[in-house]
Amino acid sequence: MGRDGLLGSFEELVLLAVARAGGEGYGMTVRREIEARTGREVTIGAVYATLDRLEAKGLLSSHLTDGDAGRGGRARRIFRIERAGVDALATARETRAGLWEGVDLADLGGRVEGSR
Amino acid sequence: MGRDGLLGSFEELVLLAVARAGGEGYGMTVRREIEARTGREVTIGAVYATLDRLEAKGLLSSHLTDGDAGRGGRARRIFRIERAGVDALATARETRAGLWEGVDLADLGGRVEGSR
DNA sequence: GAAATGATTTCTACAATGTAGAAACTAGTG
DNA sequence: CACTAGTTTCTACATTGTAGAAATCATTTC
């Protein structure tokens, strides 16, 4: 993401998955959401590494649930989206909308065929 | 991008800049387009590295102009978007549309404030 | 009560992408 | 010829993307 507040593509995906879940979720939830929405399999390691990085940037925060882990398992680590995270998503969406404005892929497709 | 045909965020930006230019452009053109549209400064090295990677993936092709380089300067290297590139953009757009569907950031903002 | 099971997080490592900066090339110009 | 302008290439490093296996801990099973 560099100096700017720009999100990488997978970072956006993960942040969006938390947002979709109402602003809160834990690792496995996020993973399932991503797989369900994109049809793409991701490993749990990839998800956590990204969640950690987003937390380090202040876009998410996390805390452990004490006890109510339900049936079996370790305590859950709940991630919550922060204001900065919501803002980052909003910015990403707006910036992209501007970039795509006026782009006509169908038209482009035609030119590609006929060229050279 | 890994095994899948997924674009990184800067890759998408560069590919889109070529698309905006009617499917053809060279390094400096792309750079200016990106700076104009995003307000963000990018170095020319970053642009070329990405153009090369997109070409290696078959999303763009390139050829050198012979001579008509105008006043001063090396021969231009023209990049043209390929069908696979158009498809990659279309896929990126659709996938993202699905991910964002139903997300209400304003609503989320409210929850973030009041939490904990 | 020890071992198996299930749900989840953590750790480690490496590949791919993002980004910067300077060098090199080429054609005009004074 | 030295200089300037427009452009590409090269090199290097930081950040992000991704995988896979190990570690934790509550519950069930024998």
Side-chain angles (χ1 to χ4, degrees):
Chain A
M1 177 162 111
R3 59 207 179 336
D4 298 347
L6 304 177
L7 291 171
S9 53
F10 194 60
E11 287 183 322
E12 181 176 346
L13 194 54
V14 168
L15 195 49
L16 205 39
V18 175
R20 293 195 73 84
E24 271 197 5
Y26 59 103
M28 300 305 272
T29 297
V30 170
R31 176 196 203 171
R32 283 183 214 117
E33 172 73 13
I34 291 175
E35 295 191 340
R37 283 270 155 186
T38 65
R40 170 186 170 200
E41 287 201 0
V42 294
T43 57
I44 191 63
V47 172
Y48 275 103
T50 303
L51 284 168
D52 284 343
R53 287 166 187 165
L54 290 172
E55 183 173 25
K57 291 176 191 168
L59 307 188
L60 294 174
S61 59
S62 76
H63 68 275
L64 292 173
T65 54
D66 28 35
D68 59 347
R71 146 107 191 63
R74 207 181 219 184
R76 282 179 179 161
R77 184 172 164 208
I78 303 289
F79 290 86
R80 170 147 43 207
I81 194 166
E82 292 293 320
R83 168 144 295 282
V86 175
D87 291 348
L89 283 177
T91 299
R93 181 157 62 174
E94 282 162 31
T95 300
R96 196 150 29 227
L99 288 166
W100 276 93
E101 193 179 33
V103 174
D104 180 352
L105 291 182
D107 179 50
L108 249 183
R111 298 204 208 181
V112 171
E113 303 302 16
S115 62
R116 182 137 311 242
Chain B
M1 177 162 110
R3 64 215 175 328
D4 297 347
L6 305 176
L7 292 171
S9 52
F10 194 61
E11 287 182 323
E12 181 176 347
L13 193 53
V14 168
L15 195 49
L16 206 39
V18 176
R20 294 194 72 83
E24 272 198 4
Y26 59 102
M28 300 306 271
T29 298
V30 170
R31 177 196 203 173
R32 285 182 213 118
E33 172 72 15
I34 291 175
E35 295 190 339
R37 284 269 156 187
T38 66
R40 169 185 171 201
E41 286 202 359
V42 294
T43 58
I44 190 64
V47 172
Y48 276 103
T50 303
L51 284 168
D52 284 343
R53 286 166 187 163
L54 290 171
E55 182 173 26
K57 291 175 190 170
L59 307 188
L60 293 175
S61 60
S62 76
H63 68 276
L64 292 173
T65 55
D66 30 33
D68 59 348
R71 146 109 187 64
R74 209 180 217 180
R76 283 179 179 160
R77 185 173 163 207
I78 303 288
F79 289 88
R80 170 147 44 207
I81 194 164
E82 291 294 319
R83 167 143 297 282
V86 176
D87 291 348
L89 283 177
T91 299
R93 180 157 64 175
E94 281 163 29
T95 301
R96 196 149 31 226
L99 288 165
W100 276 93
E101 194 178 34
V103 174
D104 181 352
L105 292 182
D107 180 51
L108 249 184
R111 296 202 210 183
V112 171
E113 303 302 16
S115 63
R116 180 137 314 241

